[in-house]
Amino acid sequence: MKKWISGVIFFIACFVPFSFAYAGTILYVPIDDRPVSLDYTVDTAQAAGLTILTPPAEYLASRAHQGDPEKLWQWVFDHCQQADALVLSTDSLIYGGLVDSRVHHLDLSILQERLERFKTIKERSFGAQLYVFSTIMRSPRMSAGGVEPDYYEEYGPRIFELTALQDKAERNSLSAQERQSLQKDEAEIPQEYLTDWFERRNKNLDINRQIITMAKTGVFDYVIMGRDDTAVYSQSQHEWRILQKDGAELPASIFGAFPGTDQLGMVLLARAYNNLTGQLPFVRIDYAPGTGGTTIPSYEDQPIAGTIRDHVVAAGGIVLLNPKVPDLILAVNTPMDGITHEANEMKNQVLDNVSSRMQTAQIQSDLIQGRQVAVADIAFANGADNALMNSLAKQQLLDKISAYSGWNTASNTVGYAVAQGMMAGSMTEKGRQQLLAVRYLDDWAYQANIRSQLQQKLYELGGNSQFLDNSQAVMVREAEEREQLFTKQYLWMDPKKVKISFPWNRLFEIKINLVS
């Protein structure tokens, strides 16, 4: 009898799909309360069978208030023993959140004391896997809306130029014109602003170096460091080279680093899922015609091929050039000429083209063969490629793929597509299609098309270009009408079930709610 029972257990372990396995409980502290950080990430993990514990919303950073690291830490201490794995944002637990990490005036001693608490969590969590994600402070070309120090709205482009030229001078030579621009920036940017910016960056760099040291001593089971908005020459790239030397001896099984920030929580939840279910997904990468993997997307500092590989590894998978039976195919929509324009530009045409038709045909072929296909749509920044999406719609493939993403930066998109694609096999058809619908409504309908329409409407109403305030009710109504028309044309659900909100009181992001 014992041998018979053992045989049954062996058969189940080897041959029953992982979708029937209990995935486990994850304690998750996001970087803030934006939908991409919290709601959409949690919804994905829950659809894949994970139980997710998240802190009270009022502890997290939001548009209206800073995060509360002390309350977040107490919540983690109170609940860590309930989890099989912990996925934690160091920015939330040390600074309060992502924006807080850019504007704080905290003493380094306070930051270091909060960092030391990760050692206590490791001891108290009874062998649960501890995954953390941190950010290298971004170097944006410009910024508005209170997500950087106030002076950045005026001097941000000059600060970016100055530090980019400093970085280039360190690695290469400057032209006479570049040397002149650097001297001009150094003379004209108020010194107090540069002092403030660099002092904060140096503190954050110090904390990231200590995180790497803690990874070397076994405090963390896996660490991701994301390079928030960056460029080939930038202060972020300069700091990354320092951190890269610090982490050189850490294996890829412990330490990952690549462009992007907002996708990191999703990537680590996929890693936790894969480890808890014992999976090692084999991933094949298919690029659209053109520059493909050599593309260096806007807001990033390296070719996308390396970024994709690093995302797959961080999520717990492996990239194979030509696996006979891949667990996941990642179809990457890159621009033909390697330049990622903004999705709201006129270049983002609705009519399909040779590239979109070829990629659609390949996706269709893979689906017919029973493959799992996730689409990373990075031909444009901050929204979907209208040509590709209309081509997929014409072939009735929108509800057939495993995952889709096409929002914000290329790495944000890649992280979502990889993670949701890896977890899709454990989802019900309804759950998978609901996640797809959210991405289509957000990345394609809103980001690539509706947002620019609403921006014009907001100008007509005399509203603030950064915050909705008194115009929010009108913007919600206008957005919902357009989203529901889109749903009627392209999707498979009742348009009246689509509701939206603007959780950060700005047009840049929305929250899609699919009501029952």
Side-chain angles (χ1 to χ4, degrees):
M1 177 64 72
K2 289 182 179 179
K3 288 184 178 180
W4 182 83
I5 294 174
S6 297
V8 171
I9 293 173
F10 176 80
F11 176 83
I12 291 173
C14 292
F15 298 106
V16 174
F18 286 117
S19 58
F20 293 102
Y22 166 68
T25 298
I26 312 296
L27 184 147
Y28 175 52
V29 176
I31 207 164
D32 52 37
D33 74 348
R34 287 172 299 155
V36 293
S37 307
L38 181 59
D39 301 89
Y40 297 163
T41 302
V42 170
D43 289 346
T44 300
Q46 289 177 335
L50 290 165
T51 299
I52 302 292
L53 306 177
T54 57
E58 60 268 23
Y59 298 174
L60 297 171
S62 73
R63 173 76 263 176
H65 62 79
Q66 294 181 328
D68 192 327
E70 297 305 319
K71 289 183 178 179
L72 284 172
W73 269 117
Q74 188 57 57
W75 180 84
V76 172
F77 282 129
D78 290 344
H79 296 85
C80 64
Q81 295 179 3
Q82 300 171 234
D84 300 302
L86 297 86
V87 174
L88 307 177
S89 163
T90 63
D91 287 50
S92 288
L93 290 164
I94 295 174
Y95 309 105
L98 180 59
V99 173
D100 299 327
S101 75
R102 304 171 187 160
V103 299
H104 71 87
H105 294 281
L106 297 167
D107 289 337
L108 183 59
S109 60
I110 294 175
L111 306 179
Q112 290 173 328
E113 190 276 329
R114 289 173 178 169
L115 179 61
E116 284 293 308
R117 298 178 195 176
F118 283 100
K119 296 179 181 178
T120 305
I121 285 296
K122 182 66 175 178
E123 295 168 356
R124 291 189 185 182
S125 54
F126 295 139
Q129 297 287 292
L130 178 55
Y131 307 121
V132 301
F133 58 105
S134 178
T135 62
I136 298 171
M137 188 174 157
R138 75 177 186 168
S139 299
R141 296 178 184 274
M142 61 187 67
S143 182
V147 294
E148 301 284 342
D150 291 341
Y151 55 78
Y152 212 89
E153 294 200 17
E154 180 177 357
Y155 286 96
R158 298 289 298 278
I159 292 173
F160 173 84
E161 180 184 62
L162 180 146
T163 56
L165 290 172
Q166 288 176 334
D167 184 36
K168 186 175 182 181
E170 180 180 305
R171 298 156 60 189
N172 299 296
S173 60
L174 298 180
S175 67
Q177 183 177 356
E178 288 172 331
R179 287 195 298 272
Q180 185 178 7
S181 296
L182 177 57
Q183 292 170 358
K184 185 176 176 64
D185 288 336
E186 290 172 335
E188 295 181 357
I189 299 173
Q191 187 58 48
E192 63 267 29
Y193 297 160
L194 291 177
T195 298
D196 174 77
W197 201 65
F198 278 109
E199 282 185 351
R200 186 177 301 106
R201 294 198 73 105
N202 288 336
K203 289 177 186 177
N204 293 12
L205 175 61
D206 194 316
I207 291 298
N208 277 332
R209 298 188 75 174
Q210 292 182 53
I211 288 172
I212 290 176
T213 298
M214 292 171 70
K216 292 177 180 178
T217 60
V219 175
F220 306 121
D221 293 282
Y222 196 83
V223 176
I224 297 179
M225 283 192 178
R227 299 193 292 281
D228 205 359
D229 291 356
T230 185
V232 174
Y233 294 112
S234 62
Q235 183 64 21
S236 299
Q237 174 58 219
H238 168 76
E239 292 167 7
W240 162 234
R241 294 197 302 277
I242 295 172
L243 293 164
Q244 191 175 32
K245 291 179 181 178
D246 289 353
E249 64 189 68
L250 286 171
S253 59
I254 295 176
F255 180 61
F258 38 76
T261 291
D262 297 339
Q263 80 279 17
L264 301 184
M266 178 75 86
V267 171
L268 284 182
L269 283 176
R271 186 179 187 86
Y273 165 84
N274 281 323
N275 284 344
L276 289 170
T277 56
Q279 299 188 77
L280 179 63
F282 291 168
V283 181
R284 189 184 87 203
I285 313 299
D286 290 346
Y287 292 101
T291 56
T294 65
T295 302
I296 301 179
S298 53
Y299 310 106
E300 303 197 356
D301 57 9
Q302 67 181 34
I304 195 64
T307 300
I308 292 173
R309 180 199 61 234
D310 293 343
H311 273 81
V312 171
V313 172
I318 184 170
V319 174
L320 295 180
L321 293 179
N322 191 25
K324 290 184 179 180
V325 186
D327 298 295
L328 179 68
I329 296 170
L330 185 68
V332 185
N333 182 32
T334 45
M336 181 72 76
D337 60 1
I339 301 173
T340 52
H341 295 276
E342 294 295 309
N344 61 2
E345 294 181 12
M346 291 297 293
K347 290 179 177 292
N348 195 1
Q349 297 293 322
V350 174
L351 296 177
D352 60 6
N353 49 50
V354 173
S355 177
S356 62
R357 288 195 295 271
M358 289 178 65
Q359 188 156 45
T360 298
Q362 181 61 56
I363 291 170
Q364 187 172 38
S365 174
D366 289 327
L367 291 172
I368 290 172
Q369 295 177 59
R371 307 292 188 223
Q372 300 288 318
V373 181
V375 176
D377 187 0
I378 63 170
F380 293 90
N382 291 304
D385 179 353
N386 282 317
L388 174 65
M389 301 313 295
N390 276 282
S391 182
L392 292 173
K394 285 180 182 178
Q395 299 304 318
Q396 300 181 341
L397 302 179
L398 291 177
D399 62 339
K400 306 296 191 305
I401 61 177
S402 296
Y404 169 82
S405 183
W407 61 284
N408 212 349
T409 69
S411 284
N412 294 159
T413 284
V414 168
Y416 256 57
V418 167
Q420 289 190 326
M422 286 182 175
M423 290 189 275
S426 291
M427 299 175 188
T428 65
E429 183 177 14
K430 180 180 178 181
R432 176 182 57 80
Q433 290 183 349
Q434 184 148 315
L435 293 176
L436 284 170
V438 169
R439 297 263 52 86
Y440 295 148
L441 289 162
D442 198 329
D443 307 351
W444 181 16
Y446 183 76
Q447 300 297 344
N449 297 285
I450 295 173
R451 180 157 65 95
S452 58
Q453 298 167 10
L454 295 188
Q455 186 72 68
Q456 181 60 38
K457 183 75 174 181
L458 192 60
Y459 285 141
E460 294 172 1
L461 293 172
N464 187 298
S465 62
Q466 296 302 323
F467 302 112
L468 300 180
D469 296 332
N470 294 333
S471 302
Q472 183 157 156
V474 175
M475 292 296 102
V476 167
R477 184 174 66 251
E478 293 279 346
E480 278 190 359
E481 288 177 358
R482 288 169 167 80
E483 291 280 19
Q484 289 174 358
L485 286 173
F486 173 91
T487 302
K488 183 178 181 179
Q489 181 175 357
Y490 291 105
L491 303 186
W492 47 86
M493 62 184 64
D494 182 354
K496 294 180 181 179
K497 292 184 176 181
V498 178
K499 303 294 180 182
I500 73 102
S501 58
F502 295 97
W504 274 45
N505 188 35
R506 60 186 187 181
L507 286 179
F508 187 73
E509 68 263 298
I510 58 173
K511 179 181 178 183
I512 303 293
N513 297 289
L514 302 181
V515 299
S516 301

